[in-house]
Amino acid sequence: MNPIDRRRFLAGSLRASAAAGLGGVVSGVVGGVVGGVADQGDTASAAPRRAEAAATGAARTREPDPLHLTPGHPGVNGLVDPVGVDPDDVSFAWTLTTPARGARGAGQRGYRITVHRDDPHHAGPVWDSGRVASAGQAFIPYAGPRLAGDAAYRWTVVVQDAAGAWSRPSPAGRFVTSLRQEDWTASWLRPAPDSSQPDRVTYLRSILTPPAGPLTRATATLAAAHTYQLFVDGQRVDLGPSFSYPDEQYARSIDLTSRIRPGQPTALGVLHRWYGAGQGRPASAPGLMLQLSLHYADGRRVVHGTDRTWREHPAEWLPSPLRNQDGADFVEWVDGRAHPAGWAEASYDDGAWSPATVLGPAGVAPFTRTFAQRTQTAEHVVAPVSLHTLANGSVVADFGAVYAARLRVDFAHGQDGRTVPMHVGYLRDPDGQVSTTHGTQESNLSFSYITRPGRQTFEALTYLGFRYAQIDRPGEPLRRHQIAAIATHTALPDVPAATFATGDRILNAVWSLNARSALYCSHGQFVDTPTREKGQFVWDAANESEAVMRAYGEQNLSWQGLRDVARGQTRYWPGGRVNAVYPNGDGARDYGTFTERYPEWLWRYYVATGDRPTAVLLYPSTRRVADYLWSTLDAATGLLTGLAEGSNGDPVYGYDLSVSADTVSNVLGINAFNRIEQLARLAGDDAGAAAMSTRAATLAATLNARLVRPDGIYVDGLKPDGTQSEHASQAANALALAYGVVPPDRVGAVGTYVAGLGIALGPNHGLELLRGLARAGLWAELVHTLTDTRIPGWAHIVAAGGTFTWETWTPSDLIGDSMSHGWGSSALVAMQESLLGVTLMPPDDGGAVQVDISPPPHGLGAARGTVPSIAGPIAVDWRRHGARLILGVTIPANATARLSLPAPSAESVHEGGRPLDRAPGIRLDSSRGGAVVVTVGSGTYRFTATRA
C-alpha cells in the first residue's frame, strides 16, 4: 500500500468562552451561530461541558488577588488530579489570572513549587523547588527526590510577578503515581490459553473481602492486551485499548475508592479481548495484569492482584470472519443465551469456571515493560434523531451524523434462540435500507445476535464509523430509547474548546465538519479511519494532531503519537526513517514523505503546547531523519531522490509519478531540515542547527534552479534522464508556497497559478493548500476554496450532507475509500490562522505564550472565535466597515500578542477611543508599509484602525 491507500466537540459545543469579554464586536453580523451548525446527533457533549465546569469550579476555590498574579487550575502531565502518573515523568502546569491590563504584575517572572506526600503515615514535604526564574507555566518537570510508586501527592505553586511580588498559593493539585516494575506484585494472566480462535473474548473475575476500617484510597492499575472492560460489583468502571507492542505495554490506573466496601465481599471482573494483529494493533499476546492497592487511615496497605485464584470463562462471542483484510477486525456474532448473568457480582457462583492461567510476574516475556498511560477513552450515548420501520419489519435508526461508536440495542422481550441480524453504514439505499454496497469501505459492517428470553442488551465491543443502524427481524417493536450509538473518542482536556464563527453559514459548517472529524479519529491512538484501517499512519496522525491541539487544547494523545513514531524508528529503522504506521501488525513499512512530515509534526506540537522537554527528548530522532534524507541526495542532480508518493488507484490529480526526484518530497525535505534546525537550537546543538540550515539552503537553491519552468511555476520533478516533467501540479506549487520555498518575487505568480486550479490535490494536503494561498495573500480565493460547494472539497462534503471529512474528495466504492477520514480536518488550523487571524508562535525564551494576530485584509467581512493555549484562551473578534477595521482581542495572563493593523500611521489607530500613545499596556513596534504593528500583554483591547 502507498501513502494514499486504505486509510464531543461537535458543533454544539463550540460556544464562546473568553470571547464574551469582547462585548460582541460582530454581534448582528455573524448571527446566532457560534462555531458552526448544530450537531443534532450529539445529545451529550460532555467533555466540553466538563471542561467549563472544571474551570468555573476551580476559579471559585479562591478569589483572584486584586493586585497581583493568581495561579489556578493546577495540572500534572496535562491532566487534572490524575491517577496513574509515571513517577519518573512528572510535569506541572497552571493557569494565571491577572488584574486589568497595564496593572502591576501582568507577567510571571518566577515560580516556586512545593510537593507533599499525602498518604497516611507517609505525609510530609517532599520537594521545594525554591525560586525558579522563569515565565514557564506548563511542562515544568519535577526535579526532587525519587517519587514512590503507588503514592499520593499534593502540590501547590506560588508565582512572582514583574514587580517581584509573590502570589498566594494556588489551590492544591493532586496526583497518584503508577507502579514501577518493582512495585508490581500481581502476575500476568493468559486468558483462554487453550483457545485457537484468533478473536478471543473472555470473562475473568476474583472476589476479595477488604479488611474493615476507614479506607483513604483504592487504586487499581491494569494492563491488558488488547482491550478490557473493568467491572466492580457488577458496574463497569473503566475500559481501555492498549494497542502496543508487548514490551511497550501500557498500564492504566483507576481510582476505585468509592467502589470498595471494607469488610464486605467485593467482585472484580474483567471482560478481556485479544484478537491478533491488525491495523494499529500489533499481535502482542493474550495478557492481563491487575493490581488493586488499598490504603487505610491507620497506615495499612493491602494489595490484591491477578494470580491463580482468579477464574475465567469464555464469553458469548462466537467464531466469526474478518470484517476486511486491512483492519483485521472481526464481525461480532454473539449468542446472548450464553451470557453469564451477574458474572461480575460478588454473589455469582463461578464454581464451573476454570482457574486462570498464570504467565508469570511483571516483566515476564513478552510483557517485559509497562508504561503509565496518560490517555483515556471517553464515551457518551447518542440517541437516534429518527427511527423508521421498513415494510419488511426492519428498523432503521438515523443518528444524524457519522460517529465513531459502538452499537447498542436493548431488547425488552427477547425470544429464546431468535437470531437478529444487524448492520451499520454511512448511506441508505433508495428503498430506505442501510446500504451494504455503498460507503462501506469494503468492510462487512454487520452484527448478529441470538436472543434469550426476556430483557437483555446487545452491545458491540468494537467501535466503527457509521450514521445509520439497521436491525432486521427484531421480534418486537423497537423505540428510539432502545437503540443507541455509544460514541467514543479520546478524552479531552479540561479546557475551553476553540470557537469559530463568521457571517458565512458554509464557512461555519466547514469549521464544524473539520473539528468533529479530527475528534472522532482520535482514540487510543490517532486512526486512519474508525471503520476500516485503525492504524496510526504518520501523515494522518500529524494532521489530526494539529487539528485537535488547536480545536481542543489536546496534548497527551499527540505526545503519545510522537513518542510512538520515535519508538517505531528505534524498532525498525535505525538508519533514520520512521515507520509509516506505528504501532501496527505488519512490521517495517515506510513512505519517504511520511518520514519528512515527522519533524514538522514535532515542531507544531512544541508550538501548540510549549512542551520543550519532549521536543528536546525527541530531537535526536529527527537528527536521524535528517541524515537519512540527506543520504538520498543524488550527486548528479543535487536533489533528494526516490521519496515520491505512489498510487494504487487513488486520485493523484495529475501528479507525475514517473519522476525520480519529485518536487513535493524535496519541498518537504527542505522544511524538515528547517524544522530540525529549530529543534536543534532548542536542544542547544548549535553545530547541528548550522548543519541543518546549510542543508535546507543548499537544497532550496537547487530546487529553485532545476524544478522551475521559465514562467516561474514548479514542475513535478525530474525524470530519470534528468529532464523536467511536463506537468506542474497544484501540490508541487502549493507546498512550495506553504513551506516558504518560493522566492518573494515569484510568490504572486505561483499563488495565482495555485488558485486557478481550484482544489487539485488530496485532502491530506488541504492545510498546505490553504496556507499556500494565505502566504500569497489570496484571502478571497482561500475563502472561495473553503466555501464553493460546486467543486470537490470541504464545502461539497457539507452540501452533500456529509458530517465527516472524506479520504478523497470523490470517494470510490471500488477501492473502498473512506467517508470518515480525519486527515483533511487540519484545514481548521488554516481557518484559525488566516481567517480568524490567530497564529500561535513559538514560546519565548522563558516559556511564555506568544501569538500573532493579523485579520485578513480582504476576502471576509467579520470573524470571531477563540484559540486554546497553555496560558488560556485567546479571543479575537473583528469586523470591517469600509476603510475601518474594528478589532477586539483578549489575551490571557502571561502571554503576549503581536497585532498587525491596516493603517498608514500610528495616528490612524485608536484603542478604546484613545490614541495609541495614551492607551495603557500597548507597545508600538513599527508603522510602515500600510501596517501598524503593536505588542500587547494580557487584558482585553478594542482597536479601531482606519486605512484612509
Side-chain angles (χ1 to χ4, degrees):
M1 297 185 188
N2 68 34
I4 319 178
D5 58 5
R6 321 289 107 278
R7 308 258 208 249
R8 300 168 309 199
F9 184 65
L10 317 162
S13 74
L14 297 169
R15 298 292 184 258
S17 53
L22 299 182
V25 173
V26 294
S27 177
V29 178
V30 173
V33 178
V34 178
V37 296
D39 184 346
Q40 52 188 330
D42 183 10
T43 60
S45 186
R49 285 204 304 270
R50 185 174 65 251
E52 289 185 21
T56 303
R60 281 198 296 264
T61 60
R62 186 180 298 277
E63 291 297 320
D65 189 312
L67 297 177
H68 308 300
L69 287 174
T70 302
H73 305 106
V76 173
N77 288 7
L79 301 167
V80 176
D81 294 344
V83 176
V85 175
D86 183 344
D88 300 314
D89 185 10
V90 176
S91 65
F92 302 105
W94 54 90
T95 61
L96 296 165
T97 56
T98 186
R101 56 141 188 212
R104 185 162 59 99
Q108 176 185 298
R109 293 297 178 267
Y111 65 79
R112 179 180 180 181
I113 296 170
T114 55
V115 179
H116 287 71
R117 180 79 179 267
D118 226 17
D119 288 313
H121 292 254
H122 294 281
V126 174
W127 178 56
D128 184 334
S129 71
R131 180 187 182 273
V132 178
S134 170
Q137 64 182 97
F139 297 99
I140 306 300
Y142 172 79
R146 189 173 189 256
L147 297 175
D150 183 30
Y153 295 90
R154 59 182 168 85
W155 69 282
T156 59
V157 61
V158 293
V159 298
Q160 188 179 39
D161 65 19
W166 286 94
S167 72
R168 290 180 292 182
S170 69
R174 288 177 167 78
F175 63 97
V176 175
T177 55
S178 186
L179 304 176
R180 291 188 179 91
Q181 196 86 328
E182 62 266 26
D183 298 321
W184 286 95
T185 59
S187 296
W188 278 100
L189 304 183
R190 179 158 188 159
D194 299 325
S195 174
S196 60
Q197 287 300 124
D199 187 10
R200 311 177 192 180
V201 186
T202 310
Y203 292 112
L204 300 102
R205 58 178 265 126
S206 177
I207 301 294
L208 72 150
T209 301
L215 188 67
T216 61
R217 178 166 62 87
T219 304
T221 302
L222 191 156
H226 289 113
T227 69
Y228 71 88
Q229 295 184 21
L230 175 63
F231 294 76
V232 177
D233 289 331
Q235 299 297 312
R236 195 185 76 179
V237 296
D238 194 53
L239 77 164
S242 189
F243 297 144
S244 53
Y245 291 87
D247 56 332
E248 297 172 357
Q249 186 66 46
Y250 284 113
R252 267 188 48 74
S253 295
I254 309 102
D255 179 15
L256 298 182
T257 308
S258 64
R259 302 278 182 174
I260 301 300
R261 303 168 300 170
Q264 300 181 49
T266 298
L268 298 178
V270 177
L271 178 61
H272 176 271
R273 186 185 192 188
W274 175 86
Y275 49 127
Q279 281 291 358
R281 193 177 70 242
S284 188
L288 168 70
M289 182 168 61
L290 183 153
Q291 184 163 309
L292 174 63
S293 179
L294 308 176
H295 294 257
Y296 288 83
D298 60 8
R300 286 177 297 164
R301 177 176 178 262
V302 178
V303 176
H304 179 85
T306 43
D307 57 21
R308 297 183 187 279
T309 67
W310 280 62
R311 302 181 72 80
E312 69 173 42
H313 185 73
E316 57 267 29
W317 276 257
L318 303 173
S320 61
L322 291 171
R323 292 195 181 277
N324 57 52
Q325 292 299 318
D326 287 336
D329 283 337
F330 288 83
V331 177
E332 294 188 50
W333 292 348
V334 182
D335 187 349
R337 299 169 300 179
H339 176 68
W343 71 275
E345 297 175 1
S347 59
Y348 181 80
D349 182 2
D350 60 12
W353 288 30
S354 303
T357 298
V358 174
L359 183 62
V364 69
F367 302 103
T368 53
R369 296 201 57 190
T370 57
F371 295 87
Q373 188 167 14
R374 293 186 183 182
T375 60
Q376 66 184 80
T377 298
E379 291 191 329
H380 63 276
V381 176
V382 180
V385 298
S386 66
L387 210 64
H388 182 63
T389 301
L390 304 179
N392 63 2
S394 297
V395 177
V396 174
D398 178 3
F399 295 98
V402 174
Y403 290 89
R406 299 187 295 116
L407 179 64
R408 187 179 75 192
V409 181
D410 295 322
F411 296 93
H413 309 287
Q415 302 169 28
D416 190 20
R418 184 182 187 90
T419 298
V420 181
M422 299 173 253
H423 66 279
V424 297
Y426 291 75
L427 302 170
R428 287 184 293 189
D429 291 329
D431 62 1
Q433 298 203 62
V434 179
S435 184
T436 59
T437 56
H438 299 293
T440 64
Q441 302 179 34
E442 294 184 320
S443 297
N444 181 341
L445 302 182
S446 70
F447 305 86
S448 181
Y449 182 67
I450 303 173
T451 62
R452 59 184 181 271
R455 186 178 298 275
Q456 61 208 277
T457 297
F458 163 78
E459 186 174 301
L461 287 179
T462 306
Y463 69 84
L464 297 168
F466 62 90
R467 172 172 176 168
Y468 303 99
Q470 179 168 323
I471 297 89
D472 299 321
R473 303 192 299 275
E476 62 180 85
L478 294 177
R479 295 178 173 83
R480 282 182 58 192
H481 71 274
Q482 292 177 263
I483 305 174
I486 305 175
T488 177
H489 55 73
T490 195
L492 299 176
D494 292 318
V495 299
T499 64
F500 179 89
T502 72
D504 189 310
R505 180 182 62 85
I506 295 296
L507 202 56
N508 297 337
V510 166
W511 164 272
S512 178
L513 171 78
N514 285 295
R516 74 183 310 277
S517 301
L519 180 62
Y520 283 113
C521 277
S522 304
H523 297 277
Q525 59 203 26
F526 294 109
V527 301
D528 178 289
T529 166
T531 294
R532 184 190 58 248
E533 285 192 307
K534 298 176 183 177
Q536 186 170 247
F537 285 82
V538 173
W539 199 288
D540 305 64
N543 284 15
E544 292 155 10
S545 168
E546 288 192 34
V548 295
M549 286 192 292
R550 294 292 292 271
Y552 309 100
E554 191 281 320
Q555 297 176 2
N556 281 331
L557 192 63
S558 297
W559 170 85
Q560 177 181 294
L562 287 162
R563 189 176 67 162
D564 284 341
V565 171
R567 285 176 168 178
Q569 184 187 66
T570 300
R571 185 178 296 272
Y572 293 118
W573 304 106
R577 302 180 226 196
V578 302
N579 224 44
V581 51
Y582 189 92
N584 207 45
D586 59 1
R589 178 179 178 187
D590 82 296
Y591 302 129
T593 53
F594 284 30
T595 293
E596 293 175 304
R597 184 70 169 85
Y598 166 53
E600 171 76 5
W601 180 13
L602 179 57
W603 178 254
R604 296 287 179 180
Y605 167 80
Y606 166 66
V607 170
T609 67
D611 184 0
R612 183 172 185 149
T614 294
V616 171
L617 177 70
L618 298 183
Y619 162 63
S621 67
T622 67
R623 276 299 307 263
R624 290 189 285 273
V625 165
D627 291 342
Y628 162 69
L629 294 177
W630 199 245
S631 74
T632 70
L633 196 77
D634 184 336
T637 65
L639 296 169
L640 308 182
T641 303
L643 302 175
E645 295 180 358
S647 172
N648 64 342
D650 288 314
V652 293
Y653 305 93
Y655 195 83
D656 188 349
L657 300 180
S658 71
V659 297
S660 57
D662 79 299
T663 303
V664 163
S665 67
N666 275 273
V667 169
L668 291 172
I670 294 167
N671 184 67
F673 294 134
N674 283 328
R675 292 307 190 210
I676 299 166
E677 175 195 354
Q678 291 171 297
L679 292 165
R681 297 197 186 284
L682 280 182
D685 181 5
D686 293 338
M692 294 304 107
S693 177
T694 298
R695 288 179 180 181
T698 300
L699 186 56
T702 304
L703 185 148
N704 280 309
R706 304 207 59 171
L707 298 180
V708 179
R709 300 188 316 202
D711 61 357
I713 304 303
Y714 292 84
V715 298
D716 286 356
L718 294 184
K719 296 180 179 180
D721 64 4
T723 60
Q724 285 188 350
S725 168
E726 292 83 10
H727 190 259
S729 67
Q730 186 180 58
N733 288 274
L735 268 68
L737 277 172
Y739 292 119
V741 174
V742 184
D745 63 333
R746 295 213 311 264
V747 165
V750 175
T752 300
Y753 180 79
V754 168
L757 296 175
I759 298 180
L761 43 62
N764 55 320
H765 290 304
L767 172 58
E768 294 152 317
L769 169 61
L770 298 174
R771 279 182 168 153
L773 292 173
R775 187 176 286 267
L778 299 174
W779 313 107
E781 290 81 355
L782 189 154
V783 172
H784 176 79
T785 299
L786 285 165
T787 58
D788 190 345
T789 61
R790 299 165 298 175
I791 62 174
W794 298 274
H796 172 72
I797 295 174
V798 170
T803 57
F804 212 119
T805 49
W806 298 342
E807 182 172 9
T808 67
W809 302 124
T810 54
S812 168
D813 289 324
L814 295 178
I815 54 176
D817 283 330
S818 163
M819 298 181 76
S820 57
H821 215 88
W823 68 356
S825 64
S826 54
L828 72 82
V829 179
M831 296 173 74
Q832 285 180 335
E833 295 172 343
S834 303
L835 301 182
L836 186 59
V838 178
T839 301
L840 291 179
M841 307 302 289
D844 69 16
D845 290 341
V849 168
Q850 299 187 116
V851 61
D852 182 275
I853 299 176
S854 302
H858 54 80
L860 191 66
R864 73 167 179 254
T866 57
V867 178
S869 79
I870 57 174
I874 297 155
V876 171
D877 193 342
W878 66 264
R879 64 183 168 95
R880 283 197 179 76
H881 280 306
R884 213 168 40 145
L885 172 73
I886 301 172
L887 170 65
V889 299
T890 294
I891 307 302
N894 210 40
T896 58
R898 181 177 180 271
L899 281 64
S900 181
L901 301 160
S905 66
E907 290 71 26
S908 300
V909 179
H910 289 71
E911 193 283 316
R914 297 162 295 194
L916 284 183
D917 60 0
R918 288 165 47 193
I922 299 172
R923 185 186 75 206
L924 176 64
D925 292 334
S926 66
S927 177
R928 59 178 179 271
V932 173
V933 178
V934 300
T935 296
V936 301
S938 61
T940 296
Y941 305 80
R942 181 184 173 97
F943 292 91
T944 301
T946 305
R947 289 197 303 270

